[in-house]
């Protein structure tokens, strides 16, 4: 840190300050301040105060010198999801949550503007549209990180490097809450905010020399100063730091890196000081429980639809809902686990665009129909309008393993039990209607993307016509009997969950969907059919299963293309599904079966 600049800054902020006051403000010893005062006076940067004896004030030359330390702007990192704050962050990015009536990101922007820092850039990703209002209200600029879901803050800094190059910039996290304004119009060197942690901590621990220069960064420690809160990049710091960011970004294996990893690895090349903050100045809320403890509003009035629903269903205040955590997001829904009165439950929230893909009234009707079978998860609440569902969580349960023949036998036995139950519902799962529907959605959102789509579509039409000619019986079918939807409980019992697509259909579609979701080879498909039939399939049965494999692959490839147009990507899943359509049509043409 430039100590001459630091003296000038504090005299700018506190005209006519005495040496003792400067020592208190800067944290430097009185002897050091005395030496710096003499050096500043010799360079004619300061002069004796004219009105108060024993004080100092900046000269015109001092003011001019200070300008190179002027803060040019701030970059606020707001791209992440905030998984530890579900379900609040399903609706609202963490930085836009209110704390004592003020959004965290707006509190920081207000504090920046109070010291004249008005050039604000916000790095966005998750729910990026939610931040758009900042451009109008504060003149903020938004930079989108397209890799926010798969990479960490190193990638965010990479995408924002043009906003940092050649500039003095604060780096803030949108979800920090700062009690007092710790920003300044001028900063005299790069720093990282630090708080003291008593006892063991998993935070990033800082080691410093006597002058406050950071000399080492370690993850975890005890009774130590840790990285906590904002940072400041001088233009000189960024000149060295940004090329290292670019180099790291291009290096495989850095996807999960925070930008601080670069500082940690190159601490000898990068000059950054510790900026020690008093206790209770910087808050980084780790989860909803911490936020509840800080702002009592969140104990019972979070303004979150899911928590409000849980409270209503169980007739319990929100404060009794604990141990909330995000579950792995499904391809269609978002869900979170919670504990209430000693029992655990899962709340499902429909994902974006789901209202077009799932008929929730039909789903609710299926759950009502299958209740006597005790086949599914125990559903506490389901809403046929909104799609919200609350179900019991089975502690110690596991998903079926598609590579385990024993587990897949359980899957097929559940399917058989459903198919032979005699239960019916009033709606069908019509694969032709679904293909037509998904195709229309794709065409309305950028097209189907496949070069040979028209050829494959014609082949699928041919298969559907042949299946219709067979006139096969329809029974209540799950449509999604896949390994991930089969729970095996510790007592050996099993449950078939997630009945969103269920309806009256040819039961053999359940074998096909199970096979393609597990990415099965032809050999494994044959084994799966034997597990279901408990014998070798007939020629017609094999034809029907193969046809539904092709049609199912085609259907879900269209589904994935549509979902990707909404911003959700599924990697190679789309291509694998499409290949099932193409490859199994070819296999069907070689089967010794014909429709008369």
């Amino acid at each position: 840190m430039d100590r001459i600049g630091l003296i000038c800054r504090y005299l700018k902020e506190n005209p006519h300050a005495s040496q003792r006051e400067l020592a208190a403000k800067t944290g430097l010893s009185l002897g050091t301040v005395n030496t710096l005062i003499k050096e500043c006076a010799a360079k004619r940067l300061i002069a004796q105060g004219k009105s108060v004896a024993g004080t100092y004030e900046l000269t015109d030359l001092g003011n001019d010198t200070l300008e190179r330390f002027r803060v040019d702007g701030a970059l606020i990192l707001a791209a992440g999801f905030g998984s530890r704050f579900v379900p609040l962050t399903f609706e609202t990015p963490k930085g836009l949550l209110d704390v004592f009536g003020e959004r965290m990101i707006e509190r920081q922007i207000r504090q920046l503007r109070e010291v004249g820092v008005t050039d604000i850039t916000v790095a966005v990703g998750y729910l990026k549209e939610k931040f758009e209002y900042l451009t109008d209200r504060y003149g903020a600029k938004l930079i989108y990180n397209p890799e926010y879901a798969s990479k960490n803050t190193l990638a965010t800094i990479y995408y924002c490097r043009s906003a940092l190059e050649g500039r003095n910039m604060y780096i803030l996290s949108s979800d920090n809450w700062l009690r007092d304004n710790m920003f300044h119009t001028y900063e005299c060197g790069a720093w990282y905010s630090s708080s003291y942690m008593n006892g063991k901590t998993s935070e990033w621990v800082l080691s410093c020399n006597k002058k406050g220069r950071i000399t080492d960064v370690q993850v975890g420690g005890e009774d130590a100063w840790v990285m906590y809160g904002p940072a400041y990049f001088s233009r000189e710091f960024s000149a060295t730091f940004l090329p290292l960011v670019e180099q790291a970004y291009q290096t495989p294996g850095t996807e999960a890196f925070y930008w601080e990893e670069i500082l940690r690895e190159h601490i000898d090349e990068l000059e950054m000081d510790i900026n020690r903050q008093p206790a209770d100045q910087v808050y980084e809320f780790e989860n909803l429980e911490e936020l509840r403890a800080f702002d009592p509003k969140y104990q019972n009035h979070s303004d979150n639809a899911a928590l409000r629903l849980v409270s209503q269903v169980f007739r319990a205040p929100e404060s009794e809902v604990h141990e909330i955590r995000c579950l792995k997001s499904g391809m269609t829904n978002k869900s979170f686990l919670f504990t209430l009165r000693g029992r655990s439950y899962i709340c499902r929230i429909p994902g974006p665009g789901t209202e077009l893909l799932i008929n929730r009234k039909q789903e609710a009707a299926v759950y009502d129909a299958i209740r006597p079978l005790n086949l599914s998860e125990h559903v506490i609440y389901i809403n046929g309008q909104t799609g919200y569902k609350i179900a019991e969580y089975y502690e110690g349960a596991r998903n079926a393993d598609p590579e385990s023949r024993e587990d897949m036998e359980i899957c097929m036995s559940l399917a058989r039990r459903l198919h032979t139950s005699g239960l019916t519902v009033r709606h069908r799962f019509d694969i032709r209607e679904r293909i037509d529907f998904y195709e229309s959605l794709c065409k309305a959102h950028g097209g189907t993307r496949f070069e040979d789509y028209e050829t494959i579509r014609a082949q699928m039409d041919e298969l559907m016509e042949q299946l219709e000619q067979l006139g096969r019986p329809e029974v209540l079918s799950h449509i999604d009997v896949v390994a991930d939807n089969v729970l095996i409980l510790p007592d050996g019992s099993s449950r078939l969950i997630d009945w969103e697509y269920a309806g009256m259909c040819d039961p053999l579609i359940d074998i096909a969907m199970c096979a393609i979701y597990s990415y099965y080879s032809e050999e494994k498909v044959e084994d799966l059919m034997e597990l279901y039939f408990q014998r070798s399939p007939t020629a017609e049965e094999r034809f029907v299963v193969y046809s539904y494999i092709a049609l199912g692959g085609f259907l879900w490839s269209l589904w994935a293309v549509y979902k990707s147009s909404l911003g959700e990507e599924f990697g190679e899943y789309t291509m694998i599904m499409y290949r099932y359509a193409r490859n199994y049509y070819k296999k069907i043409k070689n089967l010794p079966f014909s429709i008369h």
Side-chain angles (χ1 to χ4, degrees):
M1 182 169 292
D2 190 306
R3 294 186 173 191
I4 295 292
L6 191 62
I7 294 295
C8 291
R9 185 186 83 180
Y10 277 107
L11 282 174
K12 180 79 171 181
E13 295 173 346
N14 305 274
H16 308 296
S18 67
Q19 287 193 28
R20 193 169 298 279
E21 289 170 333
L22 288 172
K25 287 286 186 181
T26 61
L28 301 173
S29 69
L30 191 58
T32 299
V33 170
N34 180 265
T35 300
L36 291 171
I37 287 291
K38 291 177 180 178
E39 189 174 346
C40 288
K43 293 181 178 180
R44 299 183 179 180
L45 303 177
I46 65 173
Q48 289 282 346
K50 296 177 181 178
S51 58
V52 182
T55 65
Y56 303 89
E57 59 186 32
L58 280 181
T59 64
D60 290 342
L61 180 59
N63 278 303
D64 291 342
T65 300
L66 192 57
E67 280 304 304
R68 71 185 178 93
F69 298 113
R70 182 181 289 275
V71 178
D72 296 309
L75 171 64
I76 304 178
L77 308 184
F81 168 48
S83 61
R84 287 176 291 186
F85 270 75
V86 299
L88 274 61
T89 48
F90 284 150
E91 300 174 0
T92 305
K94 188 177 173 186
L96 295 184
L97 294 177
D98 284 353
V99 177
F100 295 115
E102 185 177 28
R103 286 179 160 177
M104 286 188 278
I105 193 171
E106 290 197 48
R107 180 180 180 85
Q108 294 185 88
I109 290 174
R110 175 176 59 78
Q111 291 172 331
L112 288 165
R113 290 166 67 90
E114 285 174 357
V115 297
V117 179
T118 59
D119 190 334
I120 310 293
T121 300
V122 183
V124 298
Y126 173 70
L127 293 180
K128 58 186 182 298
E129 296 82 5
K130 294 278 189 177
F131 294 95
E132 183 63 30
Y133 80 99
L134 297 173
T135 64
D136 184 55
R137 183 172 297 180
Y138 299 106
K141 297 182 286 290
L142 306 186
I143 295 180
Y144 177 60
N145 171 10
E147 297 181 297
Y148 74 89
S150 59
K151 294 186 178 182
N152 220 316
T153 58
L154 169 64
T156 301
I157 294 293
Y158 173 82
Y159 282 104
C160 296
R161 61 195 187 282
S162 62
L164 300 173
E165 290 172 346
R167 309 181 73 210
N168 295 325
M169 296 284 288
Y170 285 118
I171 310 297
L172 293 78
S173 293
S174 66
D175 54 5
N176 283 177
W177 190 89
L178 311 178
R179 184 178 298 279
D180 298 319
N181 194 339
M182 59 184 289
F183 304 120
H184 298 274
T185 306
Y186 306 94
E187 292 286 356
C188 302
W191 53 255
Y192 205 114
S193 172
S194 181
S195 296
Y196 191 81
M197 295 289 178
N198 290 302
K200 290 185 178 181
T201 177
S202 59
E203 299 288 346
W204 291 35
V205 171
L206 300 175
S207 297
C208 307
N209 62 22
K210 291 182 179 180
K211 292 186 176 181
R213 177 66 45 78
I214 299 173
T215 56
D216 188 42
V217 182
Q218 296 293 329
V219 178
E222 188 172 1
D223 297 330
W225 288 94
V226 304
M227 289 180 160
Y228 215 67
Y232 176 72
F233 291 3
S234 65
R235 61 176 63 91
E236 295 80 9
F237 176 87
S238 290
T240 304
F241 178 68
L242 293 179
L244 296 172
V245 168
E246 294 188 39
Q247 179 182 344
Y249 176 82
Q250 303 294 343
T251 303
T254 61
E255 292 80 9
F257 272 28
Y258 296 95
W259 71 257
E260 289 89 345
E261 297 272 8
I262 310 305
L263 175 65
R264 182 185 178 196
E265 291 183 2
H266 299 274
I267 197 66
D268 293 335
E269 305 168 52
L270 296 165
E271 296 185 357
M272 178 170 274
D273 290 341
I274 189 172
N275 184 349
R276 293 182 176 90
Q277 293 297 310
D280 300 327
Q281 162 60 13
V282 178
Y283 287 82
E284 294 183 358
F285 305 108
E286 292 297 320
N287 50 52
L288 181 55
E289 296 292 341
E290 289 189 7
L291 184 56
R292 281 173 169 174
F294 190 72
D295 184 349
K297 161 198 161 183
Y298 285 95
Q299 293 178 12
N300 290 307
H301 302 287
S302 64
D303 295 327
N304 176 261
L307 285 179
R308 188 162 53 246
L309 173 65
V310 169
S311 177
Q312 292 169 352
V313 168
F314 290 93
R315 297 182 180 180
E318 287 185 24
S319 58
E320 292 190 15
V321 182
H322 295 288
E323 299 178 34
I324 303 170
R325 73 172 190 264
C326 184
L327 297 179
K328 183 179 179 181
S329 296
M331 289 185 171
T332 307
N333 306 301
K334 303 169 184 176
S335 58
F336 66 95
L337 178 68
F338 66 93
T339 299
L340 193 151
R341 296 169 180 165
R343 303 193 67 175
S344 296
Y345 305 90
I346 296 172
C347 181
R348 180 195 72 187
I349 303 171
T354 305
E355 67 280 358
L356 290 174
L357 309 179
I358 306 293
N359 186 315
R360 297 300 181 181
K361 288 184 179 179
Q362 292 179 354
E363 180 193 16
V366 168
Y367 272 109
D368 186 58
I370 64 174
R371 188 171 290 112
L373 288 180
N374 195 29
L375 188 69
S376 73
E377 72 271 40
H378 177 210
V379 175
I380 309 296
Y381 170 90
I382 187 167
N383 188 309
Q385 298 292 332
T386 65
Y388 276 79
K389 182 180 74 172
I390 300 174
E392 182 179 353
Y393 175 74
Y394 297 97
E395 199 71 47
R398 65 176 178 86
N399 295 111
D401 179 0
E403 298 304 313
S404 165
R405 196 171 193 274
E406 182 179 276
D407 283 6
M408 299 316 290
E409 188 169 14
I410 292 173
C411 293
M412 293 298 98
S413 68
L414 289 170
R416 275 198 314 275
R417 186 175 162 204
L418 172 66
H419 298 158
T420 58
S421 67
L423 297 176
T424 62
V425 290
R426 299 178 64 181
H427 63 274
R428 302 176 61 243
F429 181 85
D430 185 338
I431 198 163
R432 181 186 290 277
E433 180 274 333
R434 288 289 88 185
I435 287 174
D436 289 345
F437 178 63
Y438 289 148
E439 180 184 74
S440 68
L441 290 177
C442 289
K443 288 181 176 179
H445 290 79
T448 54
R449 303 186 184 180
F450 302 106
E451 287 294 324
D452 60 348
Y453 179 80
E454 295 304 325
T455 299
I456 303 301
R457 173 65 208 243
Q459 293 171 352
M460 297 304 104
D461 286 340
E462 178 187 334
L463 293 181
M464 287 186 285
E465 290 169 3
Q466 292 174 341
L467 287 174
E468 288 164 2
Q469 289 179 44
L470 287 175
R472 290 182 52 81
E474 292 187 342
V475 301
L476 180 55
S477 302
H478 186 276
I479 312 301
D480 209 13
V481 182
V482 302
D484 284 351
N485 285 337
V486 173
L487 296 182
I488 300 176
L489 279 56
D491 63 3
S493 63
S494 55
R495 296 288 186 276
L496 182 57
I497 65 174
D498 292 349
W499 295 69
E500 295 171 306
Y501 300 99
M504 304 301 290
C505 192
D506 186 324
L508 301 193
I509 195 171
D510 281 340
I511 304 174
M513 296 301 187
C514 182
I516 63 176
Y517 186 85
S518 300
Y519 296 174
Y520 273 179
S521 64
E522 185 175 350
E523 179 183 358
K524 288 195 172 185
V525 170
E526 292 295 317
D527 190 48
L528 191 66
M529 287 191 289
E530 289 196 6
L531 288 175
Y532 177 82
F533 294 117
Q534 299 180 303
R535 57 171 170 77
S536 295
T538 66
E540 178 178 317
E541 289 166 342
R542 181 175 285 107
F543 169 81
V544 172
V545 172
Y546 276 23
S547 294
Y548 279 121
I549 286 177
L551 292 167
F554 189 71
L555 174 72
W556 300 129
S557 66
L558 289 174
W559 174 89
V561 168
Y562 167 64
K563 295 288 279 185
S564 70
S565 71
L566 302 179
E568 296 184 73
E569 290 292 343
F570 303 108
E572 62 180 358
Y573 173 85
T574 310
M575 297 181 293
I576 291 174
M577 291 298 106
Y578 194 69
R579 287 178 197 143
Y580 271 119
R582 183 191 296 116
N583 295 340
Y584 269 78
Y585 175 80
K586 294 175 183 177
K587 293 181 188 296
I588 289 166
K589 303 309 287 183
N590 293 322
L591 288 178
F593 176 77
S594 61
I595 298 174
H596 303 288

